[in-house]
Amino acid sequence: VGIEEAYQDRAILTKKTGAGHGLSSSSQPAIMAEMLDHLALEPGMRVLEIGAGTGYNAALLERIVGPEGRVVTVDIDPEMASRARRALKGSRAKVIIGDGRNGFAPTAPYDRIIVTASHDSIPHAWLEQLRPEGLLEVPLRMRGSDSLQLIPTFVREDGRLRSVSVVVGGFMPIRAAADDLSPYWPALNVTRADGAEVKQLLSLYGQAVRSLSRAAARRLVATACSEPRVRRVSGRSSLDSFAVFLAVTAATRQLVGAMDEHRFYAGLISRDGTSLALLASWQSISRILVFGGDQAADELVALIEQWKGRGRPGVADVGMTVSFRNGNSTIRTRWRGR
Ligand SMILES: C[S@@+](CC[C@H](N)C(=O)[O-])C[C@H]1O[C@@H](n2cnc3c(N)ncnc32)[C@H](O)[C@@H]1O
């Protein structure tokens, strides 16, 4: 990476899977700054970071908490941890190799825990290792989508967590081991044989696809192979805030993420696999790609209308709580004051 690239406001991939998915990166500076801001750090605080990556965010944390504070950062990948250790040489931040889902008990409790990889639940260890009134900030994959993410900052209130703010961002998934690539597997790969060549058309992600019956999954493959029609939606709206509405409101049984060779999409499927509707661009919700029947597109348009009717609620209107039972978390999301 050249100095110019390093100073751009973009994430920089530092390790990839064979298929090109990011395993580690230096996060986008703007989102790092926003997350640090929401973490309300003060000199002297004890901070745990999950996802050491390059060590850059840990260096920022250490600078903010100062000589009286303490920073511990954990990475599951020994290669990333040793790179971070080298980069943090001379700093007081401590780099640990381990599964961050267990937190790091020896130096608990922490005033702040910041997670820089995405997860779909809250491990009980994070609650246990957070001091009362402490803050936990974590990118959450919403509604089994594998992809749509919100990043709440929770305050610990006894045995539960309540969000004090939420931002939008996208982080690579938490893995169970350095060589665990399962979080990257699509739920369904749609390919077409072109002579001897197998062409990748679309990868579909999410619990909605994984939970389809075999027959419905087969129908969905046929649906996704068909040429899409474009349906126009009136009015110009950015997808940013609608994506938040989708992540909070869409049925888990219908919400999907999709990727072709160009980009990532979000949308809905019908449970019988005969229709798929994807928002055609990340910048605007004015075009929907309709594969197969109209049902999924009708439902997506109905959600857009519902969102407009409610005054286009965005990330500032989301509230989340986390409760625990037998060590398992339940995350509830609601619209504040609406
Ligand atoms: C987006 S990068 C972190 C960026 C980093 N904070 C920085 O400043 O460069 C995500 C990191 O999380 C790590 N990771 C994934 N699963 C993990 C786990 N279970 N425990 C700890 N780290 C994990 C990855 O190896 C990767 O280095």
Side-chain angles (χ1 to χ4, degrees):
V1 175
I3 197 85
E4 254 180 50
E5 205 184 328
Y7 272 89
Q8 285 180 10
D9 188 21
R10 282 206 320 240
I12 298 170
L13 275 188
T14 49
K15 190 169 180 182
K16 298 184 221 178
T17 66
H21 295 293
L23 284 171
S24 190
S25 69
S26 188
S27 310
Q28 185 191 357
I31 187 71
M32 268 199 266
E34 198 178 8
M35 286 177 73
L36 290 175
D37 206 26
H38 284 258
L39 208 54
L41 292 155
E42 284 170 29
M45 282 186 165
R46 301 162 74 93
V47 186
L48 173 67
E49 181 190 41
I50 316 287
T54 59
Y56 184 67
N57 196 49
L60 298 178
L61 291 166
E62 196 222 343
R63 178 60 70 95
I64 300 170
V65 299
E68 306 298 321
R70 167 162 215 157
V71 175
V72 178
T73 182
V74 184
D75 207 292
I76 195 140
D77 185 333
E79 184 190 343
M80 298 320 298
S82 68
R83 278 204 225 174
R85 217 170 261 153
R86 247 178 289 141
L88 288 166
K89 208 169 162 201
S91 122
R92 280 163 298 103
K94 196 174 160 115
V95 183
I96 307 288
I97 301 171
D99 186 347
R101 292 175 304 171
N102 303 325
F104 186 65
T107 41
Y110 302 99
D111 299 295
R112 301 287 185 262
I113 300 179
I114 177 170
V115 187
T116 59
S118 59
H119 205 16
D120 52 12
S121 60
I122 309 286
H124 198 247
W126 296 352
L127 178 86
E128 283 170 343
Q129 295 174 22
L130 192 61
R131 74 155 169 78
E133 311 293 315
L135 299 181
L136 161 69
E137 189 172 33
V138 50
L140 285 175
R141 297 150 161 263
M142 302 294 293
R143 296 191 171 260
S145 65
D146 287 359
S147 36
L148 283 178
Q149 295 178 22
L150 295 179
I151 311 177
T153 298
F154 293 110
V155 61
R156 177 175 176 176
E157 291 176 338
D158 299 323
R160 66 196 280 278
L161 300 164
R162 177 179 58 82
S163 70
V164 287
S165 62
V166 182
V167 298
V168 180
F171 278 80
M172 44 198 60
I174 276 193
R175 286 168 283 147
D179 60 357
D180 167 28
L181 300 186
S182 61
Y184 295 86
W185 294 341
L188 210 61
N189 246 332
V190 183
T191 55
R192 180 183 285 153
D194 208 355
E197 209 188 326
V198 176
K199 208 172 163 227
Q200 177 82 29
L201 296 180
L202 207 59
S203 303
L204 291 171
Y205 292 84
Q207 191 54 36
V209 180
R210 248 177 262 122
S211 64
L212 287 178
S213 69
R214 271 188 174 204
R218 230 176 287 129
R219 279 195 293 269
L220 183 59
V221 171
T223 300
C225 276
S226 65
E227 201 53 45
R229 311 182 291 287
V230 174
R231 181 149 157 191
R232 302 231 161 237
V233 178
S234 67
R236 284 217 196 137
S237 289
S238 95
L239 177 57
D240 275 2
S241 49
F242 179 65
V244 174
F245 189 77
L246 203 57
V248 173
T249 318
T252 304
R253 290 161 51 78
Q254 288 188 275
L255 185 62
V256 293
M259 261 176 88
D260 64 11
E261 55 183 338
H262 304 296
R263 54 179 165 266
F264 166 76
Y265 307 87
L268 299 180
I269 55 167
S270 59
R271 291 299 298 172
D272 62 2
T274 59
S275 67
L276 164 68
L278 298 177
L279 291 159
S281 135
W282 198 245
Q283 279 77 39
S284 141
I285 55 167
S286 60
R287 291 167 66 237
I288 294 176
L289 299 177
V290 185
F291 299 78
D294 283 314
Q295 193 186 333
D298 288 347
E299 282 166 333
L300 192 55
V301 170
L303 274 180
I304 292 172
E305 293 308 324
Q306 199 184 331
W307 173 65
K308 288 180 180 169
R310 286 178 167 205
R312 297 176 161 79
V315 73
D317 304 303
V318 178
M320 298 170 101
T321 53
V322 185
S323 53
F324 293 85
R325 201 166 176 188
N326 301 329
N328 296 318
S329 63
T330 301
I331 303 169
R332 290 197 179 78
T333 315
R334 62 182 163 75
W335 295 109
R336 267 186 228 276
R338 281 176 189 264

